[in-house]
Amino acid sequence: MKTYNKVNIRLNGELSNRYSKREFDNLLFAVHDYVGIKNQLRQQVINKCSNG
């Protein structure tokens, strides 16, 4: 059974110019990167525990 932790992020502002859109894309990249690393570490811990 998989469990997922929810993270809610509320951003105020507008994506009305290229700079705002680029900053938003950078934020999304950082969040996806963090989630990916977190999942990798979780899997390593699970594997380590199951191997004894």
Side-chain angles (χ1 to χ4, degrees):
M1 179 176 146
K2 288 188 177 185
T3 59
Y4 298 97
N5 295 326
K6 279 189 168 184
V7 174
N8 293 318
I9 299 172
R10 181 177 177 169
L11 302 174
N12 295 321
E14 296 181 15
L15 297 176
S16 57
N17 59 49
R18 273 189 252 156
Y19 179 77
S20 297
K21 290 176 185 173
R22 186 169 47 241
E23 288 296 311
F24 181 70
D25 286 340
N26 290 340
L27 176 63
L28 283 179
F29 178 81
V31 169
H32 286 243
D33 194 42
Y34 169 79
V35 170
I37 291 170
K38 183 177 173 182
N39 288 337
Q40 286 178 357
L41 290 174
R42 180 183 292 149
Q43 190 60 44
Q44 287 176 1
V45 168
I46 290 170
N47 290 341
K48 197 175 210 180
C49 290
S50 64
N51 290 334

